[in-house]
Amino acid sequence: GQGYRYYYGEVYTHWPPLYPTLLAALGLTGIEPQAGTRWINALAFGLTIFFAGQLCLRGLSSRVLVLVATLSVLAARPLLEWAVLAGSEPLLVLLTVLFALALPRFLRDPRPSSLLLAAFIAALASLQRYAGASLILAGLALIVLSPLRVARRRRIAYLLLFGVVATAPLAAWCIRNRLVGGATVGNHQFHLMSVPELADSLRTATQAMAIWPVPWVHIDSIRPMILVPILGLAVLLIVLPRAIPGAARRPWSGPAHSRAGMEAGGLVLWSAAVIVLTYLVFVAACGAGLNWRPMPRHMVSIYPLVMLIVVAGLDGARRLLPVPGPYRRVAGALGLVLCAL
């Protein structure tokens, strides 16, 4: 009954309003916030697994690899660690996966309804965490860079429509913060960062992600650059089958069995890569400009997309295998075992 305030009484401006709004809405039904976090996190965690599976169905050619990739999200220690805490991470992970599903649908078949859905999800993400604003930037970049078969004027109209719808709620919240609290985003004080500061922040962010392939290792003993060759090799193996005509004609065992399916899968993977890169740079820049170090909790929202890219690289390697006949199945099975490990 007193608006958005901290538990000690001051005006709430340091974080966006979606998570406390959901807890307050549950409170209207008689569910206490402590129990409400369990409902929200459990629902977000379950839906993340489901929609990550849907994302893998659209981006991978092998149903077995789809299952492996989805199980990698279900069994993900980074996701589970934050799903059992009362925090904003689980819902942001879900919104990121939903955005990675919605925007490629528009890029393949540009309809205003699909674009509005993607913009709405990006707006919710920015209201969940300020880092969710990176989805807005990724959406703008994808509309500009993706091969939309529309006139330039219409592409500009799509850019304006997405930008206005996605940014309006966050802009309204920032204006409210300035009016009632005197600070646009709480006590965050941004300064012009130096190149070494940005490089150090990027190193810290990638170190938080580099532990994902080896979760039993302490984060301080992992080298952040371990993730670069893994993702680089995955991207190379994704691109090569699409660049080699012989590999492109090989039959696929999954839902993307046609040329149209291959193009749709390419849009999904391309969108996931842009979202991951935009989020990484955005968080690193905020860390450098606001004098805090990116931590594992800040990076966990792109975990399902990173796993999709890694498994898609194994999918591409499977299509490039030169082994003929039944031996191809043996080689593919060996690849699946390595993937599962």
Side-chain angles (χ1 to χ4, degrees):
Q2 300 180 17
Y4 291 91
R5 293 183 177 274
Y6 299 111
Y7 61 90
Y8 49 83
E10 291 187 8
V11 176
Y12 174 93
T13 59
H14 194 69
W15 296 283
L18 181 59
Y19 194 59
T21 301
L22 292 175
L23 293 177
L26 288 175
L28 295 177
T29 67
I31 301 176
E32 291 296 323
Q34 202 168 20
T37 58
R38 298 184 180 185
W39 284 98
I40 293 173
N41 285 18
L43 184 63
F45 186 69
L47 289 176
T48 295
I49 297 165
F50 174 78
F51 286 112
Q54 295 296 312
L55 189 66
C56 294
L57 272 173
R58 288 158 174 76
L60 303 175
S61 67
S62 166
R63 292 190 183 275
V64 178
L65 282 175
V66 168
L67 179 62
V68 169
T70 307
L71 289 176
S72 74
V73 178
L74 170 64
R77 176 178 172 180
L79 296 183
L80 186 60
E81 282 181 342
W82 298 109
V84 298
L85 296 177
S88 56
E89 285 76 19
L91 191 55
L92 182 61
V93 176
L94 173 61
L95 291 170
T96 303
V97 172
L98 289 175
F99 183 76
L101 271 170
L103 196 61
R105 180 180 177 185
F106 164 75
L107 297 177
R108 187 183 179 194
D109 184 13
R111 296 182 181 181
S113 58
S114 301
L115 183 63
L116 287 173
L117 176 61
F120 178 71
I121 295 171
L124 287 180
S126 66
L127 292 178
Q128 177 68 0
R129 283 263 290 275
Y130 288 130
S134 65
L135 297 186
I136 301 175
L137 300 177
L140 294 172
L142 284 166
I143 294 173
V144 171
L145 299 176
S146 294
L148 281 171
R149 299 181 180 89
V150 296
R152 180 180 299 178
R153 182 177 300 177
R154 178 162 293 187
R155 188 189 293 259
I156 294 174
Y158 287 149
L159 274 172
L160 291 175
L161 178 62
F162 176 85
V164 169
V165 173
T167 59
L170 181 61
W173 173 253
C174 291
I175 292 173
R176 172 261 178 197
N177 291 347
R178 174 61 64 176
L179 293 177
V180 303
T184 306
V185 286
N187 58 9
H188 294 301
Q189 300 296 327
F190 190 84
H191 74 277
L192 191 62
M193 73 198 79
S194 64
V195 173
E197 284 179 314
L198 180 59
D200 183 65
S201 186
L202 273 172
R203 185 194 65 80
T204 305
T206 53
Q207 186 175 26
M209 298 167 61
I211 199 172
W212 294 345
V214 283
W216 55 86
V217 178
H218 193 272
I219 188 171
D220 292 333
S221 62
I222 196 79
R223 290 188 176 183
M225 292 305 292
I226 190 176
L227 197 68
V228 175
I230 292 176
L231 288 179
L233 180 60
V235 170
L236 180 64
L237 292 173
I238 291 170
V239 172
L240 280 180
R242 290 168 168 79
I244 300 175
R249 287 195 297 267
R250 291 174 185 169
W252 289 26
S253 61
H257 58 275
S258 61
R259 171 62 64 176
M262 189 174 179
E263 291 177 357
L267 279 176
V268 168
L269 297 176
W270 163 244
S271 300
V274 171
I275 293 170
V276 167
L277 183 60
T278 305
Y279 186 91
L280 174 62
V281 174
F282 184 89
V283 169
C286 289
L290 299 173
N291 292 322
W292 52 261
R293 295 173 65 85
M295 296 185 295
R297 65 184 293 261
H298 296 130
M299 309 309 301
V300 73
S301 61
I302 55 175
Y303 181 95
L305 304 189
V306 171
M307 292 307 301
L308 171 64
I309 294 172
V310 171
V311 178
L314 293 167
D315 197 10
R318 181 183 66 88
R319 290 178 52 75
L320 290 171
L321 285 175
V323 183
Y327 300 103
R328 184 180 176 85
R329 291 181 176 272
V330 175
L334 177 61
L336 288 177
V337 170
L338 294 174
C339 178
L341 293 175

